[in-house]
Amino acid sequence: MPTTETISTALVEGPEELTLNTTAMRAVQRERRRARRSTPTSNSVGGLILKWTILCLVAVVMLTPLYILVISAFKPQADIIENPLGFSPGSFTFDYLWASITSEKFNVIQAYGITLLFVLLVNVFSIGLAAPAAYVIARGQSKWHLALLLVFVSGLFIPGQVTLIPVVFVLRMLGLIGTIPGFVLFETAGTLPVTIFLFVAYLRTVPRDIDEAAALDGAGKIRAFWLCIFPIMKPAVATVIVLHSIGVWNDFVNPQVILGPSSGIYTVTTGVYAAIGQFSTDYTTVFPTLLLTIAPAIIFFLVMQRYIIGGLAAGATKG
Amino acid sequence: MADTSRTMIVWKRRLPGLIMTMPAVIVFTAMFLVPTVLGFVLSLTNWNGFSLNLTFIGFENYLRAFENPRSVDAAIFTTVFAVVTTVVCNLVGLALAVLIAGPGRANTVVRAVFFYPYIISALIIGFLWSAMLAPQGVFNSILANLGLPSIPFLTDPAFAQTSVIVTGIWAHYGFSMILYIAGLKSIPAEYYEAATVDGAGPWARFKNITVPLLAPIVTVNIVLGLVTALRVYDVVLALTAGGPAGSTETVVFQILKNSFDNGKLGYGAAQGVILLIVTAVLGIGVTLARRNAEKKVAD
């Protein structure tokens, strides 16, 4: 029976390695592919036409907003309103996109930099804190280790917005409200449950022989972990990086509340909110700004698609 | 003397483990556990967000949350949003997953097309759809060009609520679909082959093999869908800003508005505690209820 666990264990090893670890399994997989290709839905012509009609209709619904966004970023306001779906070469212009890039209201280049910095810091801290802790938890056998795991995992069920208000109180007491360290600390803490959960699950599949081999080398436990165990955790680390990068890049509420407009530190999302919230009917500002903010996410998605989809599926089915 | 040296040895053995776990424990405690507990404490006060002096006012904030029509309406809309988006995302996601679970380049491309909104910030999705649906937006321009009357997508309460729900579905069904595809890939093809040999048609195979074996994925999808949808905020803020006349305000919208615009953080904290309890009860409740469905498969 495929349980959630078996699926996700397979998924952690990468989307392409689903259940095909040995040659025998690979043969089964090939057989399975052949079997699926010959299911009745796909071998009757009528079924094929119906299937692709449905898929194309849904694809149109999915892509129309994106298409309008892209063409409208290069058109003047009158053209956007009078001819929303069409595109005339005569009115094509880079002016509005350039105006958005150089806008004084929203410095998009700086926002990219700041958001990337946050993505990097949260990933480094989250993995740096979680990996050794997860290792101790995964290898430990006392009730304390189990209790520690339960405490961390309980965080999976607590919505971030619920802790946000009290966190403002805590950060105010620590003097970290409106600062980058304060934001990164909170954001990192929010990622720890998922990270530790996925790392512990992964480390339990890593044989203990490796620990012993590392110990024989005479390396201390901490050194042995970083030098011998951590490199093995690559697939789990990749999953976690995918999850956190998307999460931090897209996060709006946490930077908005913790950094606040008064700090002058804008991420991509809080910057867009500040820039567009005020004049949302001036589409020559709205569309180029949105294009600039969506473009990095779309490019990242196109390049990393396989890892993103695999990572998200793994993260979700594990949790 | 012997005792202290024994404890010394024990501690020396434990020290690396402590060093490896403590940083994570400290950050998690300070930024997550303490705030969660503090949330309960603050919900009993009239904290305004600035002073560090607290006045306890008992359960007044909770009473207000249950009596205030604004917060009750927000709770109702959030519930409708969560249930409708979860049901539709699962049905659409499963249907499309069955169609494109197989290998092949075309399927991979279609999968990416259906899924891509999930990796875009919900705030940006909200702004994008707001540009489509606004009174002078793209859709109404198209209608005007065709000589048709405009549709109040965002300016009529019922239309606005529908717009928020549809946008939520548009952005999220792809995620349900991806989980279903992962689940479908894990079902051994032999089952289908055996069923075909026994003369089962496509529908019978779907009903008797696919649906029961996907039971665990259905659970994950429902729990994740509900829990995520109950926290909906960003997309509403960008799409309707809670309007018209507060008709699309959600629970989190209320929490953040009361806390940070109105300076009633104690009240916001109380609403947060209610949301936390509802989320936990729903999450655990659905998981337990679904356990029966999953058990049937195992038997």
Side-chain angles (χ1 to χ4, degrees):
Chain A
M1 297 293 116
T3 63
T4 322
E5 258 162 48
T6 53
I7 295 163
S8 42
T9 320
L11 274 167
V12 162
E13 281 146 30
E16 279 310 290
E17 283 164 88
L18 265 175
T19 69
L20 41 103
N21 289 325
T22 62
T23 355
M25 291 296 259
R26 217 163 273 165
V28 170
Q29 181 84 357
R30 220 176 296 129
E31 202 56 45
R32 185 184 305 175
R33 280 189 182 159
R34 204 171 303 142
R36 191 159 289 142
R37 215 172 276 147
S38 63
T39 50
T41 37
S42 57
N43 64 10
S44 73
V45 176
L48 260 183
I49 293 174
L50 183 67
K51 172 185 161 181
W52 283 102
T53 314
I54 295 172
L55 293 181
C56 287
L57 281 176
V58 181
V60 167
V61 173
M62 298 314 290
L63 291 176
T64 303
L66 199 61
Y67 165 76
I68 292 172
L69 166 71
V70 173
I71 60 163
S72 301
F74 303 98
K75 297 200 294 193
Q77 177 90 355
D79 215 30
I80 294 172
I81 289 173
E82 278 156 27
N83 184 15
L85 289 176
F87 192 74
S88 57
S91 59
F92 177 90
T93 168
F94 275 111
D95 292 357
Y96 302 109
L97 193 66
W98 183 245
S100 291
I101 291 173
T102 54
S103 160
E104 279 174 16
K105 282 219 154 95
F106 172 37
N107 187 337
V108 70
I109 305 297
Q110 190 184 318
Y112 285 159
I114 287 173
T115 316
L116 263 181
L117 176 74
F118 289 166
V119 166
L120 194 79
L121 288 175
V122 172
N123 269 315
V124 167
F125 282 114
S126 183
I127 293 166
L129 293 176
Y135 175 65
V136 173
I137 291 171
R139 288 295 186 256
Q141 277 147 348
S142 76
K143 58 180 190 292
W144 293 106
H145 295 108
L146 184 67
L148 203 55
L149 180 64
L150 285 178
V151 166
F152 277 116
V153 169
S154 70
L156 290 172
F157 300 99
I158 299 173
Q161 292 100 337
V162 175
T163 51
L164 188 57
I165 295 166
V167 154
V168 172
F169 189 89
V170 173
L171 289 175
R172 213 174 273 291
M173 278 204 301
L174 296 173
L176 289 174
I177 194 85
T179 67
I180 292 181
F183 171 73
V184 171
L185 264 182
F186 177 56
E187 200 83 336
T188 302
T191 63
L192 283 178
V194 165
T195 317
I196 288 186
F197 187 64
L198 289 175
F199 282 178
V200 168
Y202 185 80
L203 280 167
R204 283 186 174 156
T205 68
V206 174
R208 279 163 193 270
D209 310 0
I210 294 166
D211 301 24
E212 282 150 27
L216 278 181
D217 280 353
K221 199 179 173 189
I222 300 172
R223 247 173 69 91
F225 168 73
W226 287 111
L227 291 178
C228 304
I229 311 291
F230 186 69
I232 303 171
M233 295 167 64
K234 225 189 256 167
V237 171
T239 301
V240 160
I241 290 178
V242 164
L243 289 175
H244 297 341
S245 300
I246 295 175
V248 175
W249 181 273
N250 288 338
D251 192 5
F252 167 68
V253 177
N254 293 341
Q256 177 79 358
V257 169
I258 291 179
L259 294 173
S262 58
S263 71
I265 305 166
Y266 287 104
T267 66
V268 171
T269 51
T270 59
V272 170
Y273 183 67
I276 286 187
Q278 304 151 352
F279 37 77
S280 53
T281 52
D282 176 9
Y283 291 123
T284 55
T285 312
V286 171
F287 283 115
T289 309
L290 287 181
L291 181 63
L292 286 173
T293 54
I294 284 183
I298 296 280
I299 293 168
F300 177 68
F301 176 59
L302 288 178
V303 175
M304 303 281 292
Q305 190 197 335
R306 170 185 290 185
Y307 302 96
I308 291 172
I309 290 182
L312 284 173
T317 41
K318 280 266 174 190
Chain B
M1 191 63 190
D3 230 35
T4 44
S5 68
R6 240 193 76 196
T7 28
M8 281 288 281
I9 292 168
V10 169
W11 275 106
K12 214 168 180 183
R13 209 161 45 88
R14 282 185 185 165
L15 193 63
L18 277 175
I19 294 174
M20 291 170 86
T21 45
M22 272 310 123
V25 170
I26 291 169
V27 170
F28 189 67
T29 306
M31 292 288 127
F32 211 95
L33 293 182
V34 169
T36 305
V37 176
L38 200 58
F40 287 94
V41 177
L42 289 174
S43 72
L44 303 173
T45 72
N46 61 356
W47 188 42
N48 63 10
F50 291 99
S51 77
L52 293 177
N53 298 324
L54 304 173
T55 315
F56 281 86
I57 55 169
F59 286 91
E60 211 172 282
N61 288 324
Y62 289 90
L63 285 178
R64 208 159 54 168
F66 285 112
E67 280 167 1
N68 185 332
R70 262 301 188 41
S71 80
V72 172
D73 284 350
I76 292 172
F77 176 61
T78 309
T79 311
V80 172
F81 177 87
V83 172
V84 174
T85 52
T86 304
V87 168
V88 177
C89 282
N90 274 280
L91 291 178
V92 174
L94 178 58
L96 293 174
V98 171
L99 284 183
I100 59 172
R105 185 126 199 102
N107 284 338
T108 316
V109 172
V110 172
R111 222 175 285 167
V113 167
F114 294 173
F115 176 75
Y116 83 89
Y118 189 84
I119 55 128
I120 298 173
S121 149
L123 184 88
I124 313 275
I125 299 265
F127 278 129
L128 178 59
W129 276 95
S130 152
M132 301 294 136
L133 301 174
Q136 273 93 43
V138 172
F139 285 8
N140 275 321
S141 299
I142 297 173
L143 290 174
N145 290 349
L146 296 171
L148 296 168
S150 66
I151 297 175
F153 292 110
L154 303 179
T155 43
D156 171 86
F159 269 103
Q161 291 180 335
T162 314
S163 299
V164 171
I165 291 172
V166 171
T167 307
I169 293 168
W170 182 84
H172 264 267
Y173 78 88
F175 183 65
S176 309
M177 181 193 76
I178 290 297
L179 295 194
Y180 281 125
I181 290 176
L184 286 171
K185 281 186 170 169
S186 73
I187 300 177
E190 293 78 34
Y191 293 4
Y192 291 103
E193 285 154 23
T196 315
V197 171
D198 291 346
W203 176 248
R205 275 176 298 180
F206 178 76
K207 212 183 77 182
N208 297 319
I209 300 174
T210 313
V211 172
L213 287 183
L214 279 183
I217 304 284
V218 175
T219 309
V220 170
N221 256 329
I222 292 177
V223 172
L224 274 182
L226 285 178
V227 168
T228 318
L230 286 173
R231 304 173 192 176
V232 61
Y233 171 72
D234 300 17
V235 71
V236 173
L237 180 72
L239 190 56
T240 63
S247 57
T248 55
E249 281 186 7
T250 61
V251 172
V252 171
F253 195 99
Q254 275 270 317
I255 293 176
L256 294 173
K257 192 174 88 171
N258 288 327
S259 303
F260 299 111
D261 296 349
N262 305 341
K264 294 174 187 158
L265 280 85
Y267 183 37
Q271 289 180 302
V273 170
I274 297 171
L275 177 66
L276 169 63
I277 293 170
V278 170
T279 309
V281 168
L282 260 181
I284 295 167
V286 171
T287 310
L288 290 181
R290 289 286 309 166
R291 189 160 283 175
N292 287 328
E294 288 176 32
K295 266 226 185 81
K296 264 184 217 146
V297 182
D299 290 342

